[in-house]
Amino acid sequence: MDELVTGIRAFNRFYTRVIGVLGAGMHDTSYSLTEARVLFELHGREEMETGELRRLLGLDGGYLSRMLARFEADGLVTRERSAADARRQVVRLSEAGQVAYGTLDEASAAAVREMISPLGEEDRRRLISAMTTVEEILGEAPKPEPYVIRPPRAGDLGWVVHRHGVLYAEEYGWDETFEAMTARIVADYVRDHDPKREAGWIAEVGGEPAGSVFCVRKDDRTAQLRLLLVEPSTRGMGVGGRLVEECLAFARRAGYQRVILITVDVLAAARRIYERAGFRLGEQHTERDWGTEITMQTWSRDL
């Protein structure tokens, strides 16, 4: 925990320096970051209750009142009692306030453009993805996003190996031999791929890979479901069940009569998906692999 706190504080110091909020004014203006945020929230609204503005930005009531008084003296805002409730005060941006907001907005956009202009397209994508992740984790719970199921594209197979290695190391402590096994499965799929009898799918959420599954040939009558994975951030959306359905539908079309899969007993969420899809546990045994003791299970279902 202490290491995490230190890392977050270091990032905060770094980022406030990058975006220039430590100076006396934002973007060479006389407005502080808080004052710029108040102008931003008032922009585009006909009027706003001061109580709502205070709650939205988490500001002390006295501090906000003094700020609005300065804005009013500078001709940036007007304040008056609410027509609906005389106990409440509403505030509006004046024409001068709109001009001040426009100056800040243009300067902010120019600063961001300058910051990201040296970056390549891939680094820009990584940057916005990382920012979105921070916002999702620390902000309010995001609304469920739609997902799509599609065939693998360039780079997806490497992602499958990478995410299997990372997630299972983090969640179950499996060592690098598990990632190596995943890499061999993917390599075998590519080397011996028969598109009429084998296929793979990637689940995508928000333009990013979020899950995977593969249907491969075991023998002429039997297909094997392999490499089912769902990113933690998208679990609960039905992605895993949908991937398994896609695999089973393909196996039927390809003429298989049976589908098997091999899993580990600790993967309880995956086991529930398999049970709902009609798989039944066959045999199981305990062995030492991937740096730990595991119980391997074979599940199957007829088509």
Side-chain angles (χ1 to χ4, degrees):
M1 179 63 74
D2 290 343
E3 183 179 352
L4 178 61
V5 169
T6 299
I8 291 174
R9 294 181 65 194
F11 174 80
N12 289 343
R13 292 192 295 271
F14 161 77
Y15 195 61
T16 52
R17 185 174 68 252
V18 166
I19 63 175
V21 301
L22 299 179
M26 290 287 293
H27 309 301
D28 297 321
T29 70
S30 60
Y31 304 109
S32 69
L33 173 63
T34 306
E35 290 170 334
R37 278 298 308 275
V38 169
L39 292 174
F40 174 83
E41 296 299 338
L42 292 175
H43 171 70
R45 301 201 187 198
E46 184 176 345
E47 63 182 31
M48 190 173 186
E49 289 189 2
T50 54
E52 179 186 0
L53 183 59
R54 176 179 58 80
R55 289 188 296 272
L56 181 64
L57 298 180
L59 299 177
D60 174 76
Y63 174 55
L64 178 61
S65 180
R66 292 189 294 272
M67 183 192 305
L68 293 177
R70 291 197 303 274
F71 282 174
E72 190 172 27
D74 291 340
L76 302 181
V77 302
T78 60
R79 292 188 294 174
E80 62 184 33
R81 292 294 173 186
S82 170
D85 187 343
R87 295 170 298 178
R88 299 178 180 180
Q89 189 179 69
V90 296
V91 58
R92 301 180 181 88
L93 273 187
S94 66
E95 185 174 340
Q98 296 286 358
V99 171
Y101 164 80
T103 299
L104 280 166
D105 186 56
E106 291 174 8
S108 179
V112 172
R113 281 193 291 269
E114 182 179 0
M115 179 176 67
I116 66 175
S117 60
L119 304 179
E121 190 62 34
E122 176 63 15
D123 283 341
R124 293 179 186 180
R125 187 197 65 77
R126 290 174 57 214
L127 177 64
I128 194 63
S129 177
M131 289 179 164
T132 301
T133 298
V134 171
E135 186 176 2
E136 289 176 351
I137 292 174
L138 299 182
E140 296 180 0
K143 295 180 180 179
E145 292 188 65
Y147 60 85
V148 297
I149 306 295
R150 59 168 176 78
R153 297 197 292 249
D156 284 334
L157 298 182
W159 174 86
V160 169
V161 175
H162 169 70
R163 293 309 291 162
H164 271 77
V166 170
L167 286 180
Y168 285 107
E170 290 178 347
E171 297 183 351
Y172 300 101
W174 296 352
D175 65 18
E176 67 277 5
T177 61
F178 177 75
E179 185 173 355
M181 182 198 71
T182 304
R184 287 194 296 273
I185 293 172
V186 170
D188 289 344
Y189 171 80
V190 174
R191 184 179 60 246
D192 300 324
H193 182 56
D194 178 358
K196 293 181 179 179
R197 307 220 75 192
E198 297 185 321
W201 299 268
I202 299 295
E204 186 177 280
V205 177
E208 297 292 334
S212 67
V213 76
F214 290 80
C215 180
V216 301
R217 178 186 179 276
K218 181 69 173 176
D219 57 44
D220 288 344
R221 298 179 61 255
T222 308
Q224 184 171 355
L225 184 152
R226 309 206 79 171
L227 301 180
L228 176 67
L229 177 139
V230 178
E231 285 285 358
S233 61
T234 59
R235 291 172 186 170
M237 295 173 57
V239 173
R242 182 69 180 80
L243 286 167
V244 170
E245 289 175 6
E246 197 72 32
C247 180
L248 293 175
F250 173 84
R252 291 189 190 94
R253 294 194 302 271
Y256 292 109
Q257 299 175 32
R258 183 168 173 260
V259 178
I260 67 167
L261 63 90
I262 298 174
T263 187
V264 181
D265 66 338
V266 296
L267 305 181
R271 186 170 64 248
R272 289 192 292 270
I273 292 173
Y274 300 144
E275 289 175 333
R276 287 195 296 268
F279 284 88
R280 294 296 176 261
L281 175 62
E283 62 179 35
Q284 59 181 336
H285 66 276
T286 300
E287 63 182 56
R288 185 163 186 84
D289 209 347
W290 312 326
T292 188
E293 188 173 272
I294 55 177
T295 299
M296 304 292 292
Q297 298 179 332
T298 300
W299 294 65
S300 65
R301 63 152 293 170
D302 294 330
L303 295 175

